[in-house]
Amino acid sequence: MTLPLFIPLPEPGTDHRRVQLATDPGLADRVHLLREREIRAINAAIAAGRPLLVRGEPGIGKSQLARAAAKELGRAFVKHVVDSHTESRDLMWTFDAVKRLAEAQLAGALHEAPDRVREKLEVGRYLHPGPLWWAFHWTNAQEQCTKAQGAPPSQPDGGNADNGCVMLLDEIDKAESEVPNGLLEALGAREFTPVGCSAPVCATGRPPLVVITTNEERVLPDAFLRRCLVLHLALPADETALKDFLMVRGAAHFPQIDETVLREAANMLFSDRTDAIKRQIRPWPGQAEYLDLLRAVHGLATEPKDQIDMLEAVREYTLQKHAGSGSAD
């Protein structure tokens, strides 16, 4: 089934769309609330044909936003977590030189026939599609993946590549500037040629929605920022607004938990977050820690009274992670 190109805005009377994602093993609360301004940013990136750079503190939901967008659009979802060793070509393809060398050495030790060795060591057998390859041409990437005896990106949310692809590049600020620049070059050309291939991989069908996250650990190149749409995510600064924000998300993730427990957990989060900000201790406890606190007490107690008592017991481990911020025996 072909779904709409854009995500519909929330229904009147609400400021978000509830997106139910497939549950990961051990988690029973895989929910994302897409706010109207986030939906507008996603739709604008699709319409402009530009990557969407999502900025904000850790744990605020930047990465899951991309997966929620893929679910709402019915698109295939491809994720790549960037680290300090990532190179721009890793976004397009990877070549398993270690495996090829090992098989070459084994073939030599076994004195295999030259024709057999050449066939066995053909470059394509060790070439694995990167996230941009999948996003550009899913069918071609699948063929190459089969040839290299790899596995395609899993689609637990039922994404269909016929509707296009959402590609998430997580934590791009961990990489050197060569990575975002190389990404933009490939996106601008809408093609790239993998090592050992005579023909380029060209973008087909709907252009991919590229979502990029940053935790602001490194300044991104100006040229890169100019060619992205930018969405800033932040928790409300006002006490009442922050607590309301957290309680809405707590209720969405854990509808079984009583409102009194949600409110008390929000009170604790606000108190510990305010203290961390005052003492200039990062990372500040935020949405992720709030949900972890609720998840823990939900698993440890069933009655609201017991859960409230459990909040204080678990608070030290979820909201007060720095030395000197918790209680001592």
Side-chain angles (χ1 to χ4, degrees):
M1 180 178 68
T2 301
L3 296 184
L5 179 59
F6 301 108
I7 300 176
L9 294 176
E11 297 292 334
T14 180
D15 69 343
H16 62 261
R17 287 180 64 88
R18 176 189 172 97
V19 184
Q20 182 67 54
L21 303 172
T23 302
D24 292 338
L27 293 178
D29 61 331
R30 187 61 73 180
V31 176
H32 191 88
L33 303 185
L34 272 176
R35 289 181 288 175
E36 181 174 336
R37 65 183 296 267
E38 296 164 3
I39 294 173
R40 290 190 183 279
I42 292 167
N43 289 344
I46 294 172
R50 293 293 195 184
L52 178 63
L53 177 66
V54 186
R55 316 180 85 148
E57 65 183 79
I60 202 168
K62 300 187 298 295
S63 303
Q64 192 164 280
L65 175 116
R67 182 174 168 187
K71 175 65 180 292
E72 285 292 275
L73 294 166
R75 295 190 179 199
F77 178 64
V78 181
K79 176 180 179 178
H80 184 86
V81 179
V82 176
D83 60 35
S84 59
H85 302 291
T86 300
E87 299 179 2
S88 60
R89 73 175 184 180
D90 296 333
L91 309 181
M92 295 171 263
W93 77 86
T94 56
F95 180 71
D96 195 343
V98 174
K99 181 180 178 181
R100 189 170 188 255
L101 176 61
E103 293 194 356
Q105 292 173 335
L106 180 61
L110 296 176
H111 304 292
E112 294 186 12
D115 289 346
R116 169 61 179 157
V117 173
R118 280 192 291 271
E119 178 184 349
K120 190 174 185 178
L121 301 182
E122 193 265 320
V123 170
R125 295 187 63 245
Y126 307 90
L127 184 64
H128 296 269
L132 199 57
W133 193 334
W134 289 102
F136 272 9
H137 199 314
W138 190 276
T139 302
N140 182 262
Q142 202 158 29
E143 293 171 355
Q144 179 57 41
C145 183
T146 301
K147 184 176 182 180
Q149 298 182 326
S154 62
Q155 301 300 316
D157 300 314
N160 186 345
D162 291 342
N163 297 322
C165 183
V166 173
M167 183 179 82
L168 169 63
L169 296 183
D170 213 7
E171 302 184 349
I172 199 167
D173 51 311
K174 285 186 167 58
E176 299 291 340
S177 59
E178 174 264 340
V179 173
N181 290 338
L183 168 66
L184 290 182
E185 182 179 345
L187 288 174
R190 292 179 57 82
E191 68 175 34
F192 60 86
T193 303
V195 61
C197 295
S198 57
V201 173
C202 300
T204 61
R206 286 182 174 173
L209 168 61
V210 179
V211 179
I212 305 166
T213 73
T214 174
N215 291 327
E216 313 289 3
E217 293 184 7
R218 187 186 306 231
V219 176
L220 297 171
D222 289 343
F224 174 73
L225 290 176
R226 283 197 298 268
R227 295 167 70 182
C228 293
L229 273 64
V230 180
L231 170 65
H232 295 264
L233 296 183
L235 292 177
D238 176 76
E239 178 178 355
T240 300
L242 174 59
K243 291 178 181 179
D244 289 345
F245 177 92
L246 293 171
M247 289 179 64
V248 168
R249 277 140 190 83
H253 284 76
F254 305 101
Q256 314 93 327
I257 296 183
D258 190 80
E259 182 180 344
T260 58
V261 181
L262 299 177
R263 182 177 296 107
E264 183 59 25
N267 290 337
M268 290 181 176
L269 186 285
F270 177 78
S271 175
D272 290 336
R273 180 179 174 86
T274 301
D275 180 66
I277 293 173
K278 181 178 179 180
R279 297 168 57 193
Q280 298 183 343
I281 297 174
R282 284 185 178 271
W284 305 333
Q287 177 177 287
E289 287 76 16
Y290 176 76
L291 294 176
D292 282 343
L293 178 61
L294 293 177
R295 187 178 295 112
V297 301
H298 177 60
L300 293 169
T302 56
E303 295 299 321
K305 180 180 181 302
D306 296 332
Q307 289 178 336
I308 288 179
D309 293 339
M310 191 61 66
L311 283 173
E312 191 61 53
V314 178
R315 178 182 190 177
E316 175 184 353
Y317 316 115
T318 55
L319 305 184
Q320 302 170 340
K321 298 181 180 179
H322 291 277
S325 59
S327 60
D329 291 333

